[in-house]
Amino acid sequence: MTDMTSAPVPQKDDGNLFHKLELDMRLLGMIGALFILCIGFNWFTDGRFLTPRNIFNLTIQTVSVAIMACGMVFVIVNRHIDLSVGALLATTSAVMAMMQTQILPNSFGLGLGHPLIWVLAILSGLLVGTLIGAFQGWMIGYLTIPAFIVTLGGFLVWRNVAWYLTSGQTIGPLDQTFLTFGGTNGTLGTSWSWVVAVIASIGAVWAMWSSRRSKAGHGFPVKPVWAELTLHGIIVASIFGFIAVLNAYLIPERRLERMFEARGEVMPEGLTVGYGLPISVLILILVALVLSVVAKRTRFGRYIFATGGNPDAAELSGINTRLLTVKIFALMGFLCALSAVIASARLSNHTNDIGTLDELRVIAAAVIGGTALAGGFGTIYGALIGALIMQSLQSGMAMVGVDAPFQNIVVGAVLVLAVLIDIIYRKRVGAK
Amino acid sequence: MAEHSNAPLVEMKNISISFGGIKAVDDVSVDLRPGEVVGLLGHNGAGKSTLIKVLSGAYAKDAGEIFINGNKVDIKSPRDARANNIETIYQTLALADNLDAAQNLFLGRELMTPFGLVDDSAMEAECRKIMGRLNPNFQKFNEPVSALSGGQRQSVAIARAVYFNARILIMDEPTAALGPHETQMVADLILQLKAQGIGIFLIDHDVHSVMELCDRASVMKNGKMVGTVKIADVTDDDLLSMIILGKNPMEKEDV
Ligand SMILES: Nc1ncnc2c1ncn2[C@@H]1O[C@H](COP(=O)(O)OP(=O)(O)OP(=O)(O)O)[C@@H](O)[C@H]1O
Ligand SMILES: [Mg+2]
């Protein structure tokens, strides 16, 4: 109340270009790191890293970890941790594989390829994942067992429940429609991908304008129009650039021939078809969008952040922090099951070691993306970029021919380094 | 709820609560009437905060009863207290450091858009209005409250308690971090709220300001109630000796 900030005019012209654009320095830093990484690998691999083919593969390999990393942001922001996500992915994957190859065809008499099979299999997986997550959340919230312990136990329990359910066998082949969630086997094709790009661009621009209108409506400062338009330009260009790259990856000629044969047609001479946006990536984008809105614009999200910032204050404000914990872990379980759909569909089978070490990748992605383990801070887009950085590192090193042990050594070192940089950054901008 | 016209706004009867064998509050009774300011005094650890936390729903009492307007109420959580129009400024302020002033002001009671999303712009606008009344110098609306000074944080906590039209206001050392000018503003605010018929429990170590602002004062020592006195009947020294010696100078009535 004393001599606080005196500036009476809420006008935003700190002169700095970044300030005018209101770009988040941390976001720029992460994108910069990813950029340097890609350029570097591209140079070392004589241009093989930044090809449409490799970028396509990178994105579909990232999806499963990225989806779980979005949920992990909420868990960590709320001052918890989930070490069981990889094991939970395995259990839900096992459930869905058993459903579609054995239970539904044998016990319910649905013929192979019956359209209900993939629907019911996925629904049961999502249900099981959500229930297991909620159960773990209940133990953490209501029985007050630390999340570290509950999910460390869950790590062992669910990994081995999956093993028990499948007797350790690889289960497959999975339902044909189910496989379209895996990536290569299910893409939108070029035309629909452009449609998505248009819709996404319109949506992004509309969202930014309506936020601006709402601010201006209350007489709050808004950034200059040129800055707003520049941002729109950058975002629309990124969206179309991304889709253009995915469209540029052509379906191999042999594969195309087989696809035509399967339909009893003959492939026209010289035909080329691009893959376009994989359905799995589209799902990831939708999950990230929805969860970003949840984080910023819903009570649920607000309470997660408030509780992470000060659990006592949240409690005293009438927030039911125990139930909140249950909901967060239920959401995490749901996302593990969704990742299980994509991971098992990508492999075409349920394998006994599916999701192994994913918990570490997921936590690393969230943390590299700027989620503070002390709670209270984290963003969904950060986790996405974190997951991309992890995956780029891993496949980049494999392409360059780095020995397997060194790959993991580097990934581990990068994780620690990323957190150090984050700590230094936070100190610089004033402990926020 | 039936309004018993002569019943106190709040009546806390024979409240007890202990933490692992230590009786933090031992058979204490206080009451509060509309438009009245009751001071709670006592040395550090006397049990003042614990007593009011029973009323605000932060702690569950071990024994005792609470009446509001003569009706027995069961306050089991901060939500119950808010439902009874009880607002609290906690000694610890209870702010989420990572959220900004408006988000803290409305925490648990967010303004929503018609689409069911939280309306941050509307909340910021309301926050600017009330802060303009309480602390016109305040400008840090877009920063997390961790970036605020102790006094600025305190004014956010005060704004939160005042904004929602409380009928019962609990202030646990509301001016502890404030400068002299801001302390005076809070004093003016208390008188203004009192004139509106709001009942206020004021915890304050400054006997002087208690003498100035309160109608009655209740003094606690070691979890027990020493006594409740009318401010008009006592001097600063009487209050001080009650706090230090734990004896009621009036040496009559009272628990
Ligand atoms: N959550 C708790 N757990 C254990 N003991 C507690 C707890 N809260 C308070 N106490 C104890 O209860 C007693 C009363 O504490 P209280 O905070 O009510 O004192 P106070 O009168 O508000 O003191 P102050 O003037 O320092 O704020 C103290 O002995 C304290 O140690
Ligand atoms: Mg106290």
Side-chain angles (χ1 to χ4, degrees):
Chain A
M1 293 176 108
T2 12
D3 48 82
M4 46 216 51
T5 41
S6 44
V9 203
Q11 191 55 55
K12 286 188 177 166
D13 47 8
D14 313 36
N16 188 321
L17 178 70
F18 289 124
H19 265 119
K20 284 202 174 140
L21 288 171
E22 280 182 37
L23 284 182
D24 181 355
M25 284 309 288
R26 182 202 302 278
L27 173 64
L28 285 182
M30 287 188 298
I31 293 178
L34 182 60
F35 210 68
I36 291 169
L37 209 60
C38 291
I39 303 279
F41 279 129
N42 200 43
W43 190 73
F44 275 112
T45 56
D46 302 320
R48 277 184 298 130
F49 192 77
L50 287 181
T51 56
R53 173 192 153 91
N54 194 50
I55 292 176
F56 181 92
N57 285 328
L58 254 180
T59 47
I60 61 176
Q61 284 160 1
T62 310
V63 172
S64 152
V65 162
I67 287 178
M68 290 189 284
C70 292
M72 191 62 81
V73 170
F74 285 176
V75 171
I76 296 178
V77 164
N78 197 42
R79 298 199 182 184
H80 291 306
I81 193 78
D82 193 340
L83 301 174
S84 70
V85 295
L88 199 44
L89 183 145
T91 290
T92 49
S93 165
V95 167
M96 291 187 284
M98 301 296 283
M99 282 295 275
Q100 57 192 292
T101 57
Q102 295 172 23
I103 299 170
L104 289 173
N106 299 344
S107 308
F108 290 81
L110 297 179
L112 280 185
H114 192 287
L116 268 180
I117 285 186
W118 69 272
V119 177
L120 291 178
I122 290 178
L123 285 181
S124 57
L126 295 175
L127 184 70
V128 168
T130 309
L131 286 179
I132 293 175
F135 175 58
Q136 296 194 140
W138 173 76
M139 287 194 279
I140 296 161
Y142 285 88
L143 303 186
T144 64
I145 310 171
F148 186 90
I149 298 301
V150 169
T151 59
L152 184 61
F155 167 82
L156 288 171
V157 170
W158 306 119
R159 169 67 52 196
N160 290 287
V161 165
W163 188 346
Y164 176 77
L165 285 178
T166 60
S167 317
Q169 303 292 311
T170 295
I171 309 282
L174 301 177
D175 179 85
Q176 279 303 313
T177 316
F178 187 86
L179 291 184
T180 56
F181 292 100
T184 322
N185 290 321
T187 59
L188 293 185
T190 47
S191 324
W192 281 109
S193 300
W194 289 124
V195 171
V196 169
V198 172
I199 294 174
S201 302
I202 294 174
V205 171
W206 176 81
M208 288 166 72
W209 271 110
S210 64
S211 140
R212 181 191 174 86
R213 246 206 338 268
S214 149
K215 277 190 189 171
H218 287 285
F220 300 158
V222 289
K223 47 189 148 203
V225 173
W226 67 263
E228 193 90 51
L229 290 178
T230 309
L231 266 190
H232 291 180
I234 293 172
I235 285 171
V236 171
S238 313
I239 292 172
F240 274 83
F242 179 59
I243 295 293
V245 170
L246 295 179
N247 280 347
Y249 177 33
L250 302 178
I251 300 177
E253 209 171 309
R254 287 244 206 78
R255 194 184 160 96
L256 204 54
E257 265 176 31
R258 279 203 305 275
M259 285 162 69
F260 272 92
E261 274 166 27
R263 283 195 283 172
E265 295 169 29
V266 180
M267 187 178 97
E269 198 65 33
L271 176 77
T272 57
V273 180
Y275 272 106
L277 185 67
I279 292 171
S280 61
V281 177
L282 184 61
I283 291 174
L284 169 63
I285 293 170
L286 292 178
V287 165
L289 266 180
V290 169
L291 291 186
S292 296
V293 172
V294 166
K296 289 272 169 231
R297 300 295 310 275
T298 66
R299 284 207 162 120
F300 177 53
R302 180 63 44 85
Y303 295 171
I304 292 173
F305 279 79
T307 308
N310 185 346
D312 295 333
E315 191 90 47
L316 292 175
S317 299
I319 295 168
N320 187 342
T321 52
R322 293 164 175 233
L323 185 59
L324 189 70
T325 306
V326 175
K327 288 183 190 166
I328 292 167
F329 278 88
L331 173 65
M332 188 72 244
F334 175 88
L335 293 173
C336 289
L338 193 58
S339 289
V341 174
I342 286 157
S344 62
R346 189 163 78 84
L347 302 171
S348 318
N349 294 296
H350 165 81
T351 59
N352 202 39
D353 68 344
I354 195 168
T356 303
L357 285 188
D358 267 7
E359 47 286 324
L360 299 186
R361 294 196 190 104
V362 167
I363 293 169
V367 168
I368 288 179
T371 309
L373 279 171
F377 296 94
T379 56
I380 301 296
Y381 62 74
L384 285 190
I385 298 174
L388 263 178
I389 289 177
M390 293 281 296
Q391 190 59 48
S392 306
L393 256 183
Q394 212 131 33
S395 18
M397 283 190 293
M399 280 176 90
V400 172
V402 177
D403 288 342
F406 281 110
Q407 290 185 20
N408 287 333
I409 289 171
V410 170
V411 170
V414 164
L415 172 62
V416 176
L417 193 68
V419 174
L420 176 65
I421 292 173
D422 196 52
I423 289 171
I424 294 171
Y425 170 80
R426 277 173 214 258
K427 279 199 184 135
R428 278 268 179 93
V429 298
K432 281 188 184 176
Chain B
M1 270 198 254
E3 301 259 335
H4 303 247
S5 57
N6 54 352
L9 182 56
V10 181
E11 216 178 347
M12 297 178 78
K13 277 191 182 161
N14 310 104
I15 305 290
S16 293
I17 177 170
S18 50
F19 297 108
I22 299 168
K23 288 212 160 181
V25 174
D26 189 1
D27 197 27
V28 169
S29 301
V30 286
D31 64 332
L32 177 70
R33 290 168 187 282
E36 187 185 38
V37 182
V38 171
L40 283 177
L41 293 164
H43 57 86
N44 292 127
K48 310 178 295 289
S49 297
T50 307
L51 176 67
I52 59 96
K53 278 187 179 174
V54 169
L55 182 59
S56 71
Y59 289 155
K61 58 189 177 329
D62 296 334
E65 291 175 320
I66 300 174
F67 297 86
I68 292 183
N69 294 321
N71 300 307
K72 189 169 182 232
V73 294
D74 197 11
I75 295 175
K76 280 187 296 205
S77 73
R79 268 179 306 252
D80 296 339
R82 284 182 169 189
N84 280 297
N85 290 314
I86 300 170
E87 293 291 334
T88 311
I89 300 163
Y90 292 98
Q91 191 170 9
T92 54
L93 303 185
L95 300 173
D97 274 343
N98 54 339
L99 302 184
D100 66 25
Q103 291 170 343
N104 268 292
L105 178 63
F106 286 94
L107 189 57
R109 295 180 276 209
E110 290 74 12
L111 300 179
M112 307 300 273
T113 65
F115 306 109
L117 299 174
V118 297
D119 194 343
D120 279 313
S121 303
M123 291 194 281
E124 188 182 331
E126 287 300 303
C127 184
R128 280 175 188 269
K129 268 189 225 156
I130 183 138
M131 291 306 282
R133 263 177 53 208
L134 293 178
N135 184 352
N137 288 325
F138 188 89
Q139 287 298 338
K140 292 194 170 176
F141 289 99
N142 292 312
E143 309 222 21
V145 296
S146 60
L148 306 187
S149 76
Q152 290 170 331
R153 292 160 59 84
Q154 197 140 30
S155 55
V156 173
I158 294 172
R160 176 169 61 184
V162 174
Y163 180 83
F164 293 94
N165 300 321
R167 295 191 52 208
I168 299 153
L169 193 55
I170 301 166
M171 305 174 110
D172 195 347
E173 305 192 24
T175 58
L178 300 185
H181 179 233
E182 290 75 16
T183 301
Q184 188 52 46
M185 286 180 67
V186 171
D188 294 343
L189 176 70
I190 290 175
L191 295 178
Q192 192 185 322
L193 295 169
K194 173 183 157 72
Q196 292 168 16
I198 295 168
I200 300 174
F201 278 122
L202 176 64
I203 299 177
D204 204 323
H205 284 291
D206 181 9
V207 172
H208 222 69
S209 57
V210 169
M211 290 294 292
E212 212 166 275
L213 295 170
C214 298
D215 301 294
R216 285 185 296 146
S218 296
V219 178
M220 293 179 70
K221 188 176 167 97
N222 297 332
K224 292 203 168 65
M225 179 59 74
V226 174
T228 302
V229 292
K230 283 209 173 83
I231 290 296
D233 301 344
V234 294
T235 62
D236 293 28
D237 289 341
D238 291 335
L239 280 181
L240 277 174
S241 71
M242 279 176 84
I243 295 168
I244 297 165
L245 303 174
K247 290 225 176 74
N248 190 343
M250 316 312 270
E251 217 63 278
K252 40 173 183 159
E253 28 90 271
D254 277 311
V255 189

